[in-house]
Amino acid sequence: MPFLGFNEGMKWFLLPILISLSLLLPAQRSEKATLSGYVRDAATGESLPGAAVVIKGTTTGAVANTYGFYSLTLPKGSYSIQCAYLGYEAQLDSLSLFSNQTRNYELKVQAKLAGEYTVTDDKARQNTESTRMSTIDLQMEEVKKMPVLFGEVDILKTIQLLPGVKGAAEGSSGFYVRGGGPDQNLILLDNATVYNASHLFGFFSVFNSDAIKNAELIKGGMPARYGGRLSSVLDISMKEGNMKEFHGSGGIGLIASRLTLEGPIAKEKVSFLVSGRRTYLDALLLPFSGEGSPLNGNSYYFYDLNAKVQWKVGEKDRLFFSGYFGEDVFNFRSPTGALRIDIPWGNAIASLRWNHQFDSRLFLNTTVSFTDYNFRTGARGENFSFELNSGIRDYTLKTDFYWTPNNKHLIRYGSEMIFHEFRPSTVQASLESNSVGLPTAQVLYALDGSLYAEDDWNISTRWKANLGFRLSYFQHTGPYDRFIKGSDGTNIDTISYSSLENIQDYFRAEPRIALRYLINENSSLKGAFTVNYQNLHLANLATVSLPTDIWLPSTSLIPPQQSIQGNLGYFHNFFNNALETSVEVYYKHMDNLVEYRDNSSFGDLVNDNPDNIMVLGSGRSYGAEFFIKKRLGKITGWIGYTLSWTERFNFDKNLVSYDGDFFYPRYDRRHDISVTATWEISKRWTLSGVFVYSTGNVLAVPSEFYFLGDDIIPYFTDRDNFRMVPYHRLDLSATYTIKKTDKWENSLNISIYNVYSRLNPFFVYFDIESDSNTGAVNFQGKQVSLFPIIPAVTWNFSF
């Protein structure tokens, strides 16, 4: 395919806009009329996505989109309309609908006693009635009640408690979904991509809970509007900022504090939100870091800053500007001060979104976003200095249209263009004030475009479908130098490409389909089939997700990753939708997965193309997931169980060592169990608990050691020859509301992580013991555990 130039690319991007303009042409006279508008929180003005607007006593209605917009087309006449959302008082509205009308609804939070809510909204029936499967909505109020490590609320650790999702390691916020790697999860913050979602080498996520409104996790049956990843989507929305009153919230914990402020700049017109968080491990260790202390000059901290401005330009237009900046800073100083090491890494994210309502049936969201992830390592001594930088930068333009021609169809379509800049590693060094010329890995560039369309189609009372299709185009562009290898692995030639010259491109089609058959009002069968392509790869030489992981594009040697996934599930609600249950089975086949060749190192990335040391293969993951969730009452929570297998195969055994037809990657865990419970004892006291159990991680350990001169060399024969012991843990917490008025609320949270102090494995290493008298050498494998029992106290407040 020839180079997709700017003009051609813009024509492709503008295609959905041209289609939308055709929809605005004058229509023939109709016997129907459309009711449309927005659903928002009466106290804050925040949109309520998922709110139901229905004809009272029927199932005919519409659901508000991400921005609170709904559209309901009905035969002309008089109706009693009910607008409802879980946790809010339902609002009734009688109207005569003989022409298109706009109705905006503002719902009040429902008064409750010890967790009791009345089920009045369609969202309570989404488990059985929608086509969505393998999808979980998380509200932050639910997340904040769970016990967590060091008292720091973390949405990424919460999703690890869901079936089909596995944590990367003890305490880590990294996660794997249905046998996929960490690079196969698309993480979005207000429509902008987040590449590294972890602080403290993975122990905390970058998401400040006070700035988040809600999150949606999609594990399978991915709709066509999402693309670029194989395994999952985690779509996180920030709060919009209170349009009516000034408010604040925050908390002070053992290792970090946070503060969020929000309110109107111009009431009902412009609002703002600012949220910050910082750890103070460096300050706590300062008294112990005096002269002579091994901690002298050493420090670590991280911080986050979220900001958002919302501007209601007019009745049909809104602008949102969102920003995030976060950084980890680690500093090391040797006792003599001769060696200094600085390792900062972090994300900078910005997005500008424009909402526009063309008419009562057509809605547009346009997003311009920028993402920059950067990792740097710097070292300085008396006579030398060294610095290494790596990262990835994206510039994105995206349009999303929502069109509701009638009550049987909700059609979404749009386009996206991304310009990627990959920086695998750049090195600078000096020795005794003289610059040292070091070979550096190249900066790589790529264009990534896509078009999509999907239709949520109510075929009949029992049958419903979501039919989607996505077209993607990816191009690796210059400038670039391709190193040609000889049979001995040395460079024998170089091909140079100029700026924006087409090196390799790929055009792919991705069909998506989801079906629901409603057995009765409480139960349904669902199925989904999806094809996904991923044009980005994560180069990982470590066993856990570290900030040194390197992102790379698809190239002439590494084609896009591909997955084909099928899902089938049974869903049933009990007790007037208070208890949701589901059983899902899935099978996922993956091609063009990458692994490093045996004995590869980061040094191999210098003065070479990274894809020269990678090996392609395939994978599969299959299993069953069981989920029971109690939504309402004094006691809420869920039980999840996953039985699964994850395998890798078709790798060149001369380059990747494994026995048999396949090997188990570190993502494979046979059993996963999670139990969560929250008990609202009274208006003041709330108790929570979490129990998790999972099969141990797979590791590659040396099968034997041999001596090469004075060096001891490990020898590996297989990539899955050792599985660590099972992981299990119990966490408990209690929250006491000290004072609650109309203007002020503060509470004390006491949590205990790992109540029975289980020494769960973090990694395994080999200790070498020798006897100088006999010359005998013994290699002893030893387990390293991180966290015993850890109590924490956090004071939370809001005003």
Side-chain angles (χ1 to χ4, degrees):
M1 189 177 208
F3 170 69
L4 184 66
F6 177 79
N7 292 333
E8 291 79 6
M10 288 306 297
K11 289 178 183 177
W12 193 23
F13 178 78
L14 293 173
L15 179 60
I17 299 176
L18 298 177
I19 295 173
S20 300
L21 292 176
S22 69
L23 299 177
L24 298 176
L25 295 175
Q28 296 180 350
R29 184 174 179 179
S30 172
E31 295 302 318
K32 294 185 178 182
T34 300
L35 178 68
S36 63
Y38 294 84
V39 184
R40 303 190 181 278
D41 185 301
T44 66
E46 290 269 355
S47 61
L48 297 178
V53 180
V54 300
I55 301 175
K56 186 179 179 182
T58 73
T59 57
T60 301
V63 176
N65 68 10
T66 305
Y67 307 98
F69 175 77
Y70 74 93
S71 176
L72 178 61
T73 300
L74 301 168
K76 294 178 179 179
S78 297
Y79 296 95
S80 179
I81 300 295
Q82 177 176 278
C83 180
Y85 188 73
L86 183 66
Y88 287 75
E89 295 178 3
Q91 187 172 330
L92 296 178
D93 185 18
S94 297
L95 56 88
S96 297
L97 189 65
F98 292 97
S99 61
N100 293 344
Q101 290 191 31
T102 298
R103 278 284 206 280
N104 297 325
Y105 296 102
E106 293 193 340
L107 304 184
K108 297 179 180 179
V109 174
Q110 184 180 35
K112 66 186 182 76
L113 296 174
E116 294 292 353
Y117 281 123
T118 303
V119 184
T120 56
D121 70 324
D122 273 4
K123 195 168 185 177
R125 298 192 295 269
Q126 288 291 306
N127 183 53
T128 56
E129 293 189 356
S130 74
T131 56
R132 300 191 322 165
M133 63 184 307
S134 308
T135 301
I136 304 291
D137 290 316
L138 289 173
Q139 303 298 319
M140 287 312 300
E141 291 304 315
E142 183 179 34
V143 174
K144 289 179 179 180
K145 294 176 182 179
M146 296 185 178
V148 288
L149 179 63
F150 295 120
E152 285 297 303
V153 174
D154 193 330
I155 193 167
L156 293 191
K157 288 193 178 67
T158 301
I159 69 169
Q160 294 175 14
L161 303 174
L162 299 170
V165 184
K166 309 174 190 299
E170 167 79 79
S172 172
S173 59
F175 62 99
Y176 310 129
V177 178
R178 289 184 173 177
D183 62 313
Q184 295 177 357
N185 304 314
L186 177 62
I187 302 177
L188 299 173
L189 180 64
D190 273 0
N191 279 6
T193 304
V194 180
Y195 281 100
N196 188 297
S198 300
H199 284 305
L200 192 56
F201 299 98
F203 293 117
F204 298 100
S205 78
V206 300
F207 303 113
N208 186 344
S209 59
D210 289 341
I212 297 173
K213 179 165 68 174
N214 54 44
E216 181 183 59
L217 176 69
I218 304 173
K219 302 177 293 179
M222 192 183 299
R225 61 185 178 274
Y226 295 110
R229 299 296 188 274
L230 299 190
S231 291
S232 75
V233 177
L234 179 60
D235 196 350
I236 298 175
S237 299
M238 287 176 55
K239 292 179 179 178
E240 297 167 356
N242 197 312
M243 274 281 196
K244 302 187 176 185
E245 295 180 328
F246 177 80
H247 284 281
S249 62
I252 298 175
L254 288 181
I255 66 168
S257 291
R258 63 189 191 279
L259 178 65
T260 300
L261 301 174
E262 59 177 319
I265 298 174
K267 195 170 183 178
E268 304 284 2
K269 189 76 174 178
V270 183
S271 66
F272 78 94
L273 179 142
V274 178
S275 183
R277 177 178 61 162
R278 191 191 190 280
T279 59
Y280 29 75
L281 283 172
D282 52 333
L284 293 176
L285 294 176
L286 193 60
F288 309 98
S289 305
E291 290 292 335
S293 168
L295 297 176
N296 185 34
N298 301 331
S299 67
Y300 169 82
Y301 63 91
F302 70 76
Y303 61 89
D304 300 297
L305 179 64
N306 295 80
K308 191 167 186 176
V309 175
Q310 175 188 192
W311 177 23
K312 183 180 178 183
V313 182
E315 290 301 319
K316 294 187 176 183
D317 295 275
R318 286 185 186 242
L319 287 174
F320 302 87
F321 175 77
S322 306
Y324 167 84
F325 183 77
E327 188 175 38
D328 291 64
V329 179
F330 172 72
N331 300 310
F332 170 80
R333 303 292 183 269
S334 65
T336 63
L339 176 63
R340 293 173 293 169
I341 299 175
D342 302 301
I343 308 178
W345 70 92
N347 297 279
I349 299 170
S351 66
L352 177 64
R353 291 179 295 157
W354 170 43
N355 285 178
H356 177 69
Q357 181 185 341
F358 287 97
D359 60 19
S360 58
R361 301 184 187 185
L362 185 61
F363 181 90
L364 163 70
N365 178 66
T366 298
T367 303
V368 179
S369 65
F370 167 79
T371 297
D372 184 36
Y373 167 67
N374 186 65
F375 170 81
R376 181 174 67 84
T377 299
R380 285 178 172 80
E382 294 179 351
N383 300 313
F384 78 95
S385 66
F386 171 85
E387 184 173 302
L388 181 146
N389 291 275
S390 66
I392 181 172
R393 182 176 295 166
D394 282 358
Y395 304 87
T396 304
L397 176 62
K398 185 179 182 183
T399 61
D400 298 284
F401 290 90
Y402 302 77
W403 180 43
T404 312
N406 53 56
N407 290 337
K408 288 187 175 293
H409 297 274
L410 170 58
I411 298 174
R412 296 180 175 95
Y413 58 96
S415 58
E416 182 176 33
M417 290 182 64
I418 307 173
F419 180 74
H420 299 286
E421 179 183 316
F422 304 85
R423 303 182 302 278
S425 62
T426 58
V427 183
Q428 297 176 336
S430 64
L431 183 62
E432 295 183 347
S433 301
N434 296 317
S435 294
V436 179
L438 294 177
T440 62
Q442 302 178 75
V443 177
L444 293 85
Y445 302 93
L447 294 172
D448 198 343
S450 60
L451 293 170
Y452 78 88
E454 63 177 84
D455 181 11
D456 213 29
W457 178 21
N458 281 299
I459 302 172
S460 66
T461 303
R462 295 191 180 276
W463 285 99
K464 189 174 184 179
N466 184 284
L467 307 176
F469 196 78
R470 187 179 184 92
L471 291 174
S472 65
Y473 176 79
F474 186 84
Q475 184 181 83
H476 178 205
T477 71
Y480 187 69
D481 289 333
R482 164 62 68 188
F483 297 104
I484 307 301
K485 295 290 188 179
S487 58
D488 60 353
T490 60
N491 296 337
I492 61 173
D493 196 8
T494 302
I495 302 175
S496 296
Y497 296 89
S498 60
S499 179
L500 294 180
E501 183 178 355
N502 182 12
I503 302 171
Q504 180 69 45
D505 57 5
Y506 297 95
F507 186 81
R508 297 288 188 264
E510 305 175 39
R512 315 279 178 86
I513 182 171
L515 293 171
R516 180 226 67 193
Y517 176 73
L518 195 63
I519 300 171
N520 53 50
E521 64 178 8
N522 295 319
S523 59
S524 63
L525 287 172
K526 301 182 185 181
F529 173 83
T530 59
V531 176
N532 292 61
Y533 286 92
Q534 178 170 325
N535 299 308
L536 277 60
H537 307 265
L538 185 66
N540 184 357
L541 289 172
T543 56
V544 295
S545 181
L546 298 173
T548 52
D549 291 348
I550 296 172
W551 288 91
L552 297 169
S554 294
T555 66
S556 57
L557 299 184
I558 305 177
Q561 301 178 60
Q562 178 192 15
S563 75
I564 300 175
Q565 182 174 177
N567 308 276
L568 185 64
Y570 173 72
F571 299 78
H572 191 96
N573 287 0
F574 295 91
F575 311 119
N576 193 28
N577 301 311
L579 187 69
E580 299 177 356
T581 65
S582 65
V583 179
E584 294 188 43
V585 294
Y586 68 91
Y587 181 89
K588 179 166 62 176
H589 178 90
M590 297 168 281
D591 286 318
N592 300 327
L593 304 180
V594 297
E595 293 278 347
Y596 274 111
R597 297 181 181 181
D598 289 344
N599 304 312
S600 298
S601 67
F602 285 108
D604 296 325
L605 301 177
V606 178
N607 202 27
D608 200 354
N609 303 128
D611 51 8
N612 279 331
I613 61 172
M614 293 181 181
V615 185
L616 292 174
S618 301
R620 55 180 169 251
S621 181
Y622 50 94
E625 299 170 359
F626 303 83
F627 192 54
I628 302 173
K629 182 176 182 179
K630 188 173 186 295
R631 292 165 48 92
L632 306 170
K634 295 183 178 181
I635 298 177
T636 58
W638 68 73
I639 300 173
Y641 170 66
T642 304
L643 173 67
S644 63
W645 290 262
T646 299
E647 301 161 357
R648 296 289 186 264
F649 55 95
N650 286 346
F651 289 88
D652 187 339
K653 290 190 176 182
N654 294 318
L655 302 174
V656 178
S657 300
Y658 62 98
D659 291 329
D661 296 329
F662 63 88
F663 66 92
Y664 294 114
R666 62 182 178 274
Y667 322 129
D668 176 70
R669 291 182 202 161
R670 196 69 60 245
H671 305 280
D672 261 295
I673 301 172
S674 62
V675 180
T676 75
T678 299
W679 180 19
E680 295 191 29
I681 301 175
S682 65
K683 291 182 178 181
R684 291 188 177 272
W685 281 102
T686 300
L687 300 180
S688 296
V690 170
F691 174 77
V692 294
Y693 173 93
S694 65
T695 303
N697 284 349
V698 171
L699 295 178
V701 300
S703 57
E704 58 186 33
F705 295 84
Y706 63 91
F707 287 91
L708 184 62
D710 294 331
D711 297 326
I712 300 174
I713 309 299
Y715 179 68
F716 295 85
T717 59
D718 209 345
R719 293 207 167 196
D720 61 352
N721 59 355
F722 181 79
R723 189 180 288 274
M724 291 194 289
V725 297
Y727 179 99
H728 53 88
R729 190 189 78 241
L730 173 67
D731 306 331
L732 297 174
S733 74
T735 301
Y736 176 70
T737 302
I738 302 171
K739 184 178 181 180
K740 185 173 183 179
T741 66
D742 292 339
K743 299 293 184 180
W744 176 265
E745 178 179 348
N746 67 102
S747 61
L748 196 66
N749 177 271
I750 302 171
S751 64
I752 303 175
Y753 181 89
N754 198 2
V755 171
Y756 51 86
S757 201
R758 160 77 173 178
L759 296 180
N760 287 300
F762 184 63
F763 66 86
V764 173
Y765 73 98
F766 284 85
D767 188 25
I768 303 174
E769 299 176 354
S770 61
D771 189 330
S772 59
N773 296 323
T774 63
V777 179
N778 181 42
F779 300 94
Q780 181 70 40
K782 295 188 177 181
Q783 171 184 303
V784 174
S785 300
L786 281 184
F787 300 118
I789 181 172
I790 299 178
V793 179
T794 304
W795 175 52
N796 298 301
F797 58 87
S798 62
F799 55 88

